[in-house]
């Protein structure tokens, strides 16, 4: 495979030939997982443990008239039944969300979405808890539901959040970025303006392991140990201290092995709180594990953006400006996970990879009778939506101008010398060489040959489509002065300790859900200290054992925590230098570093290895002035900026003209995430994200009927790609390091999920060009593609 | 009711409710938690175990129905202290990330290779199509199975040493596969 190494000026750049910390090594996590010895939430069994189950609302919008729990309580194995009324007494009926709203833990006044939590049963075993749910009688007074976000602001729309004093409508927020007047002026003067409503439908991250918790409240010492499927254990500890009123030092959150997160496991769900209440009430540990239907119907959805896009350009294809208004459906409670000042996340990155004269976006968030969520599923805080919009609009413009979509992009890219590049909505892109990545992708795809093949096939009436997308991600939130989650600055801590025998343990604040942190964080330390990765233990997921930090989502682990780990290792290296100086009876400034060893300048034979220094640091040597014993350090890393990885994707689809079935025949993905820590793990991240893209573009959608019934509450209806729906992926890479990151690395985890849906949809629309189709909304299922071919495509709700 | 079966070569007998699902019996009664539970509609396949050598979704089998049968779970995949080549293949080819689908995937792969020692990519994809993985995008799982096919049973790592051994990445012998086409089931 052709590889372009654009090392630019950063000598820290890694590549296949000289990767960070041993590069493509096997994962330290794998031996336990392939033996069935992982330790996931539902594997936890504690003495005396009870099981909880949630009774959920059968309707989308209804007054709660009464709940009768008599029969359930009479069940011989039932220990407790908790209702909203019980929680009101504990001041736990409502809990704060990550968006300064509140969410009902159990219904007290009315149901606001189908599947909402109504009562919680605690019983001796899993089966009995479910039996008891059937014994609870609930009377509802059904209200008209609000399902279509487009009608949320109508004067006669039912007001969903009427419990909020003075609230008379369903508007959550209005937010805008960019210069509206400047943008309008550019549009007014432009040769060509193209408009299109682009819907990014509601989908769901659907990790293979659902959400769950085991709560163990020790009434004697007042300590709560809470095992949770959480991507952000430290933030959860703080929130539990605030919500439940338990002192923070008496809360220990443990996040065990997690069976995938994808943003689904960032927030605090009612089930977690109910497990805690159950444990306090019963005096015994309580396990709650949701089933798949509960996961799909009640936990964080993703997307659901209705975007009115407009793009302005000159007749010869110079893109001038973009503007959009977004209607964002947030469901019944605004529980969207994003930094406090960013109610639409990082959607303002919608200017993409292009050098524009002006841009403006506005977003209106509304309540509907649906489950809460929005930010999840590898979206990097709404970057999926932003990239999808701009990459669809550029493609529509290409069609309008009768230009090749790859050529139009090449013509408008931000150029390498323009970085750091300040876009029109306030982002400063760190680095990029877009043209190199685009050319490599086209070369790997054989782009010209593909276009020739397509022309031939069109002659024969065959439907082949080629879709291009080029994206700029924004990951690694982020600088504390700009980004916080419920007041917690988005920095990450790291602690590193080298044991006397030279083995090390690094404690991190982020939490892997399969991304390989136990391996790659050891590799970063290995690179910095010269200790082999197998001699470095990575500890994460236990708030009693790890430094504070904000957790893993938004592809922020490498940018923030990875930076922290590199810096803490350098701090240890500097301390080692002082100790080595004492051991060698020489001034530290006369020492030189080679991987794993400090030696005397000009005399490489005289030196001390990290193991020797570690023994010295713990031993009896006379330590230099100001140096305490042991070989350890800690840091908190506040990144100066986010990282902006990018990628060039090309998708080839074939469509069956008789059935509308889309087959992804080839997918070429060139990614650039700067310095590459472990190429094998990066490739795996990309493959997974590309599969998400196929799912969203062709199969996945959470739809509702007019009564507010969720129509995708199981894997029978919510379709996820299997091995049969995806091709063997073709990947390539370039290396453009982040100049501000300690090892030049950028995040990568969400890039493919962000970048692939527009490539696939662009390919589908390209294939359907003979039918005059210029746009269709996801998912491009056979039925919808067939409808589009008849000119009857409709947007999803 | 009382049931008896063989699980990973050992005879087990338990008193259970007739309604107990095999997946819950394996996980909660026998304590073998490598078998997972990922959906409630029999789609995801994280609960796949081998029953008399055939992959079955243990969420869709009552424990009582497994009485008298031979069950093999991920914990019984390594034999005689040696990892199954499938287990090693998944590590070599990065066929897992979060690890949640892995036990089921590996057992299906084992059943496939027992029937067809050299499946091609399409046959492999077909075989695992009853199982969902959210992390890997499947390509590396297919490569993992190919790795196992190229490394027959008995050549795997010593289970006790596997965690510390750094083996070279082996590439399946494509020529051998082609030659063996006629012996495919």
């Amino acid at each position: 495979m052709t590889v372009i190494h654009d090392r630019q000026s950063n000598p820290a750049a890694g590549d296949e030939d000289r990767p960070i910390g041993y590069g493509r090594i096997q994962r330290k996590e794998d031996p336990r997982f392939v033996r069935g010895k992982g330790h996931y939430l539902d594997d936890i069994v504690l003495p005396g443990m009870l099981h909880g189950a949630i009774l959920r609302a059968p309707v989308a919008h209804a007054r709660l008239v009464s709940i009768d729990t008599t029969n359930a309580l009479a069940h011989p194995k039932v220990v407790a039944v908790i209702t909203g009324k019980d929680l009101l007494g504990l001041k736990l009926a409502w809990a704060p969300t990550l968006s300064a709203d509140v969410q009902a833990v159990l219904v007290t006044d009315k149901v606001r979405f189908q599947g909402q939590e109504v009562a919680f049963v605690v019983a001796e075993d899993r089966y009995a808890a479910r039996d008891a749910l059937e014994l609870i009688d609930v009377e509802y007074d059904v209200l008209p539901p609000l399902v279509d976000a487009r009608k949320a602001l109508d004067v006669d729309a039912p007001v969903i959040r009427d419990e909020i004093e003075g609230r008379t409508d369903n508007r959550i927020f209005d937010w805008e970025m960019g210069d509206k007047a400047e943008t309008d002026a550019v549009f007014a003067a432009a040769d060509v303006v193209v408009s299109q409503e682009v819907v990014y439908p509601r989908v769901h991250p659907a990790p293979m392991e659902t959400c769950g918790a085991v709560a163990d409240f020790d009434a004697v010492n007042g300590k709560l140990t809470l095992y949770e499927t959480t991507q952000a254990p430290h933030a959860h500890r703080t929130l539990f201290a605030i919500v439940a009123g338990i002192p923070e030092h008496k809360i220990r959150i443990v996040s065990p092995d997690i069976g995938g997160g994808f943003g689904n496991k960032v927030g605090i769900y009612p089930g977690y709180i109910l497990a805690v209440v159950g444990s306090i009430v019963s005096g015994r540990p309580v396990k709650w594990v949701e089933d798949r239907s509960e996961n799909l119907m009640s936990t964080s959805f993703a997307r659901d953006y209705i975007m009115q896009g407009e793009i302005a350009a000159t007749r010869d294809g110079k893109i001038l400006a973009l503007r959009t208004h977004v209607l964002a459906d947030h469901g019944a409670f605004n529980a969207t996970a994003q930094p406090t000042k960013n109610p639409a996340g990082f959607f303002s990155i919608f200017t993409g990879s292009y050098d524009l004269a002006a841009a403006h976006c506005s977003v209106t968030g509304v309540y509907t009778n649906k489950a809460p969520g929005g930010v999840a599923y590898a979206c990097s805080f709404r970057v999926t939506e932003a990239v999808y919009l701009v990459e669809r609009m550029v493609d529509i413009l290409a069609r309008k101008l009768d230009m090749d979509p790859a050529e139009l992009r090449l013509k408008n890219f931000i150029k390498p010398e323009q970085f750091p590049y300040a876009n029109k909505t306030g982002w400063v892109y760190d680095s990029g060489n877009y043209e190199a990545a685009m050319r490599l992708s086209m070369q790997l795809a054989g782009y010209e040959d593909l276009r020739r093949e397509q022309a031939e096939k069109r002659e024969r009436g065959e439907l082949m489509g080629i879709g291009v997308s080029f994206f700029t991600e924004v990951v690694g939130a982020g600088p504390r002065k700009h980004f916080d989650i419920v007041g917690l600055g988005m920095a990450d801590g790291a602690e590193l300790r080298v044991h006397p025998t030279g083995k090390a343990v690094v404690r991190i604040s982020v939490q892997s859900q399969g991304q390989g942190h136990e391996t790659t964080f050891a590799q970063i330390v290995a690179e910095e200290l010269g200790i082999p990765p197998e001699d470095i233990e990575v500890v994460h997921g236990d708030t009693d054992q790890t430094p504070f930090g904000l957790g893993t989502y938004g592809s922020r682990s490498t940018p923030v925590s990875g930076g922290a780990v590199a810096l803490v290792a350098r701090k240890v290296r500097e301390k080692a230098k002082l100790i080595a100086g004492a051991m060698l009876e020489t001034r530290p400034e006369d020492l030189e570093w080679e991987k794993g060893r400090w030696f005397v300048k000009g005399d490489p034979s005289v030196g001390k290895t990290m193991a020797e220094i570690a023994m010295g640091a713990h031993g009896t040597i006379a330590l230099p002035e100001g140096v305490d014993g042991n070989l350890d350090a800690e840091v908190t890393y506040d990144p100066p900026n986010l990282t902006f990885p990018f990628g060039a994707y090309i998708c080839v689809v074939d469509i069956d003209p008789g059935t509308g079935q889309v087959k992804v025949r080839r997918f070429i993905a060139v990614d650039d995430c700067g310095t590459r820590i472990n190429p094998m793990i990066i490739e795996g991240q990309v493959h997974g994200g590309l599969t998400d893209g196929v799912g969203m573009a062709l199969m996945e959608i959470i739809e509702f009927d007019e009564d507010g019934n969720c129509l995708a509450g199981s894997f029978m209806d919510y379709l996820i790609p299997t091995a049969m729906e995806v091709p063997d992926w073709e990947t390539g890479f370039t290396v453009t390091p982040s100049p501000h990151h300690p090892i030049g690395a950028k995040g990568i985890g969400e890039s493919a999920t962000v970048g692939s849906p527009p490539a696939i949809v662009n390919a589908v629309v390209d294939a359907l060009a003979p039918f005059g189709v210029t746009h269709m909304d996801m998912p491009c299922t056979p039925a919808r593609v067939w409808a589009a071919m008849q000119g009857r495509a409709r947007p999803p709700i | 009711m009382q049931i008896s079966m063989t699980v990973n070569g050992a005879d087990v007998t338990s008193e259970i409710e007739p309604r107990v699902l095999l997946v819950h019996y394996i996980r909660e009664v026998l304590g073998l938690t490598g078998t997972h539970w990922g959906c409630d509609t029999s789609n995801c396949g994280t609960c796949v175990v081998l029953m008399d050598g055939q992959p079955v979704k243990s969420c869709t089998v009552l424990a009582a129905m497994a009485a008298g049968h031979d069950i093999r779970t991920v914990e019984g995949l390594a034999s005689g202290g040696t990892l199954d080549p499938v287990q090693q293949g998944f590590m070599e080819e990065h066929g897992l990330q979060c690890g949640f689908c892995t036990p089921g995937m590996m057992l299906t792969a084992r059943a496939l290779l027992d029937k067809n020692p050299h499946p091609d990519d399409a046959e492999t994809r077909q075989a695992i199509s009853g199982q969902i993985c959210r992390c890997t995008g499947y390509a590396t799982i297919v490569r993992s199975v190919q790795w196992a096919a190229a490394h027959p049973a008995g050549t795997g790592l010593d289970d006790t040493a596997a965690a510390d051994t750094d083996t070279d990445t082996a590439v399946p012998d494509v020529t051998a596969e082609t030659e063996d086409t006629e012996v495919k089931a």
Side-chain angles (χ1 to χ4, degrees):
Chain A
M1 181 175 297
T2 307
V3 166
I4 294 178
H5 300 299
D6 176 10
R7 300 175 68 104
Q8 291 199 336
S9 57
N10 190 337
D15 55 37
E16 288 274 15
D17 309 309
R18 203 193 70 78
I20 290 291
Y22 303 74
R24 186 181 285 268
I25 60 168
Q26 268 185 32
R27 299 202 320 163
K28 291 155 73 88
E29 294 91 335
D30 289 355
R32 67 178 186 271
F33 291 150
V34 300
R35 288 169 177 79
K37 298 294 183 191
H39 200 52
Y40 301 91
L41 189 281
D42 199 14
D43 302 344
I44 295 169
V45 177
L46 299 179
M49 188 176 78
L50 300 169
H51 294 261
I54 293 173
L55 181 70
R56 293 179 180 276
V59 292
H61 201 194
R63 292 265 162 225
L64 182 66
V65 178
S66 64
I67 302 183
D68 183 352
T69 60
T70 316
N71 291 337
L73 281 166
H75 189 291
K77 286 187 171 178
V78 167
V79 176
V81 180
I82 296 158
T83 65
K85 202 179 285 181
D86 303 321
L87 294 185
L88 279 173
L90 297 166
K91 295 192 163 50
L92 284 174
W94 295 79
T97 68
L98 299 176
S99 289
D101 194 358
V102 289
Q103 172 173 0
V105 178
L106 289 177
V107 170
T108 54
D109 53 347
K110 69 173 183 178
V111 170
R112 291 175 177 81
F113 68 91
Q114 187 186 51
Q116 194 182 341
E117 298 80 0
V118 175
F120 187 62
V121 169
V122 180
E124 294 288 346
D125 69 57
R126 189 189 298 268
Y127 284 44
R130 295 284 171 142
D131 287 343
L133 296 183
E134 308 290 327
L135 301 173
I136 301 172
D137 286 323
V138 187
E139 191 182 338
Y140 299 101
D141 178 10
V142 177
L143 301 168
L146 172 62
V147 180
D148 185 352
R150 293 178 179 84
K151 296 176 181 162
L153 300 176
D154 291 357
V155 286
D156 58 346
V159 178
I160 295 166
R161 298 297 299 279
D162 53 359
E163 93 285 0
I164 302 171
E165 187 79 24
R167 178 166 276 287
T168 55
D169 66 13
N170 296 306
R171 185 185 301 271
I172 306 173
F173 65 85
D174 288 298
W175 176 85
E176 63 178 322
M177 287 298 279
D179 189 323
K180 185 171 191 314
E182 183 183 53
T183 306
D184 290 349
V186 173
F187 268 88
D191 298 341
V192 182
V193 172
V194 186
S195 304
Q196 176 65 50
E197 183 191 85
V198 176
V199 177
Y200 209 135
R202 178 175 286 231
V203 290
H204 194 283
M208 290 317 299
E209 180 205 34
T210 60
C211 299
V214 177
D216 184 12
F217 183 74
D218 181 338
V220 175
N221 65 18
K223 180 147 184 170
L224 170 67
T225 302
L226 180 58
Y227 304 86
E228 275 187 308
T229 50
T230 176
Q231 299 176 219
H234 288 276
H236 274 216
R237 185 185 65 192
T238 304
L239 286 164
F240 265 97
I242 293 166
V243 173
I246 300 169
E248 197 163 358
H249 66 296
K250 293 286 190 184
I251 302 175
R252 176 185 172 208
I253 305 279
V254 180
S255 192
D257 286 328
I258 302 219
F262 315 110
N264 190 226
K265 296 168 178 171
V266 174
I268 294 180
Y269 293 118
Y272 302 168
I273 299 171
L274 292 167
V276 172
V277 172
S279 183
I280 291 172
V281 167
S282 67
R284 292 162 64 179
V286 172
K287 175 187 281 186
W288 168 73
V289 177
E290 68 188 2
D291 62 30
R292 177 57 55 191
S293 302
E294 295 178 284
N295 177 256
L296 286 169
M297 289 177 71
S298 72
T299 65
S300 184
F301 75 90
R303 323 293 187 254
D304 217 344
Y305 261 31
I306 299 168
M307 304 179 277
Q308 190 63 47
E310 286 184 285
I311 189 164
T314 63
R315 230 176 298 279
D316 59 353
K318 172 67 193 152
I319 303 173
L320 301 172
L322 266 164
R323 66 185 172 195
T324 184
H325 176 71
V326 179
L327 183 62
D329 185 341
H330 282 234
F333 308 102
N334 188 19
T336 306
Q338 82 260 296
T340 304
K341 294 168 200 159
N342 302 72
F346 300 164
F347 181 77
S348 60
I349 196 80
F350 82 115
T351 58
S353 311
Y354 312 104
D355 184 19
L356 304 181
H360 178 260
C361 65
S362 59
V363 182
T364 298
V366 297
Y367 292 120
T368 58
N369 285 114
K370 301 175 189 171
V375 166
Y377 207 170
C379 77
S380 310
F381 302 118
R382 301 291 189 184
V383 182
T384 34
E385 290 90 327
V387 165
Y388 184 63
L389 178 76
V390 60
E391 288 307 292
R392 277 302 298 134
M393 294 311 298
V394 169
D395 243 49
I396 293 167
L397 176 66
R399 176 76 58 83
K400 172 92 172 177
L401 297 172
D402 199 24
M403 281 184 72
D404 181 277
E407 284 306 314
L408 180 61
R409 286 172 171 85
L410 283 163
K411 194 180 170 87
N412 286 281
F413 281 148
I414 301 162
K415 295 184 173 38
E417 61 273 19
Q418 288 177 278
F419 293 93
Y421 174 84
N423 86 336
K424 290 290 176 183
T425 53
W427 298 101
V428 179
Y429 297 16
D430 57 352
S431 63
N433 187 341
Y434 296 168
E435 181 172 344
M438 189 74 213
R439 298 264 183 223
L440 175 59
S441 189
M442 292 169 74
Q443 180 192 331
L444 293 174
Y447 188 76
E448 300 307 324
D449 289 343
L450 285 172
R451 286 291 175 201
R452 271 193 289 277
E453 179 192 348
Q454 181 184 38
E456 288 164 17
K457 284 193 166 157
R458 273 200 183 148
E459 293 289 315
R460 299 197 294 269
E462 293 175 39
L463 303 179
M464 169 185 167
I466 304 159
V468 175
S469 86
F470 194 100
F471 63 92
T472 298
E473 256 271 36
V474 49
V475 299
R480 295 162 73 125
K481 65 177 174 183
H482 297 305
F483 303 108
D484 69 272
I485 297 232
V486 291
L488 302 170
M490 298 187 78
D492 277 281
E495 295 171 6
L496 176 61
R497 184 175 298 274
V498 184
H499 299 312
T501 54
K503 315 291 184 189
V505 56
V506 61
R507 299 170 190 279
I508 60 175
S509 58
V510 292
Q511 169 62 26
S512 178
Q513 314 119 44
Q515 301 95 326
H517 293 168
E518 289 170 37
T519 304
T520 52
F521 280 77
Q523 292 183 258
I524 296 173
V525 175
E527 173 77 8
E528 298 293 336
L529 294 185
I531 298 172
E534 60 267 28
D535 289 345
I536 301 161
E537 188 78 1
V538 177
V539 176
H540 63 147
D542 182 341
T543 56
D544 273 7
Q545 303 289 333
T546 54
F548 187 87
L550 270 266
T552 295
Y553 43 83
S555 303
R556 63 186 301 281
S557 290
T558 294
V560 193
S561 191
V565 166
L567 293 180
V568 80
R570 286 173 196 174
K571 210 167 162 181
V572 164
R573 196 167 72 201
E574 287 309 302
K575 183 172 179 178
K577 184 183 189 179
L578 301 177
I579 294 165
M583 295 174 79
L584 295 166
E585 296 178 341
T586 185
R587 296 184 312 167
E589 50 269 40
D590 292 335
L591 294 177
E592 203 167 315
W593 173 258
E594 65 177 353
K595 219 178 206 175
R597 184 169 176 271
W598 285 106
F599 65 92
V600 176
K601 272 181 198 162
D603 189 0
S605 68
V606 180
K608 292 287 177 190
T609 65
M610 282 302 292
E612 290 166 338
I613 297 166
M615 191 57 87
H618 290 82
T620 59
I621 63 158
L623 293 165
E625 183 79 21
V627 176
D628 52 8
N630 301 351
L631 189 52
D632 51 17
E634 57 182 78
V635 302
T636 299
Y637 181 57
D638 177 21
N641 190 6
L642 290 89
T643 66
F644 297 73
F646 54 91
Y649 289 179
I650 296 173
C651 175
V652 182
V653 302
D654 296 308
I655 297 179
D656 182 329
T659 65
Q661 178 154 20
V662 179
K663 176 81 185 166
V664 177
R665 191 210 316 165
R666 289 183 65 197
F667 201 107
I668 298 90
V670 169
D671 276 276
D672 188 325
C673 59
T675 303
R676 294 152 61 84
I677 299 165
N678 185 323
M680 176 190 83
I681 285 178
I682 291 172
E683 183 189 46
Q685 294 286 290
V686 171
H687 285 187
L690 296 175
T691 307
D692 292 346
V694 170
M696 287 181 283
L698 303 181
M699 303 163 72
E700 300 174 28
I701 183 170
I702 304 268
E703 280 185 296
F704 295 82
D705 70 12
E706 60 188 10
D707 295 321
N709 294 305
C710 179
L711 301 180
S714 82
F715 279 164
M716 299 298 279
D717 307 292
Y718 191 75
L719 304 181
I720 288 170
T722 72
M724 302 298 282
E725 282 81 40
V726 296
D728 200 354
W729 311 104
E730 301 169 59
T731 57
F733 68 97
T734 58
V735 178
T736 312
S738 174
H740 66 73
H741 188 271
I743 59 171
K746 304 183 183 186
I748 179 73
E750 296 168 321
S751 283
T753 311
V754 163
S756 56
I760 300 164
V761 174
N762 288 347
V764 170
V765 173
D766 185 49
L768 297 178
F771 294 88
V773 174
T774 55
H775 175 73
M776 78 170 291
D777 286 314
M778 297 185 283
C780 305
T781 59
R784 294 168 58 87
V785 170
W786 189 86
M789 288 192 279
Q790 324 304 313
R792 288 195 270 108
R794 61 173 179 86
I797 54 167
Chain B
M1 64 183 292
Q2 195 182 62
I3 58 165
S4 298
M5 67 183 81
T6 308
V7 178
N8 299 329
D11 294 330
V12 296
T13 298
S14 306
E15 189 66 31
I16 57 153
E17 286 185 65
R19 64 172 172 170
V20 168
L21 299 173
L22 181 59
V23 63
H24 289 139
Y25 176 70
I26 290 169
R27 287 179 51 81
E28 295 178 8
V29 179
L30 304 181
L32 298 171
T33 56
T35 303
H36 297 141
W37 185 57
C39 77
D40 42 21
T41 47
S42 197
N43 296 92
C44 83
T46 59
C47 64
V48 164
V49 299
L50 301 186
M51 185 152 92
D52 305 328
Q54 291 296 316
V56 296
K57 291 177 174 174
S58 63
C59 76
T60 315
V61 177
L62 295 170
M65 292 162 67
H69 292 275
D70 180 42
I71 302 295
R72 195 171 173 201
T73 72
V74 62
E75 290 89 348
L77 205 41
S79 63
T82 304
L83 278 189
D84 191 289
V86 167
Q87 291 171 299
Q88 202 181 329
F90 272 68
M91 295 199 291
E92 295 282 350
E93 296 294 337
H94 192 34
L96 69 152
Q97 293 181 29
C98 80
F100 204 75
C101 77
T102 311
M105 287 286 185
M106 292 191 307
L107 288 162
T108 295
R110 172 45 43 221
L112 169 69
L113 293 174
D114 286 348
K115 228 171 29 185
N116 177 358
H118 296 287
D120 62 22
D121 282 6
E123 289 166 328
T124 305
R125 285 178 181 271
Q126 177 85 47
I128 62 170
S129 65
Q131 284 157 289
I132 300 171
C133 168
R134 295 294 277 150
C135 297
T136 65
Y138 303 105
T140 56
I141 293 178
V142 175
R143 289 179 212 165
S144 301
V145 177
Q146 293 296 350
W147 191 98
H151 294 77
T155 63
L157 287 178
D158 181 335
D159 190 32
T160 52
D164 301 315
T165 307
D166 186 24
T167 49
D168 293 326
T169 303
V171 178
D173 187 338
V174 180
T175 323
E177 268 172 52
T178 316
E179 286 168 359
D180 284 349
T181 307
E182 60 276 12
V183 299
K184 279 176 191 163

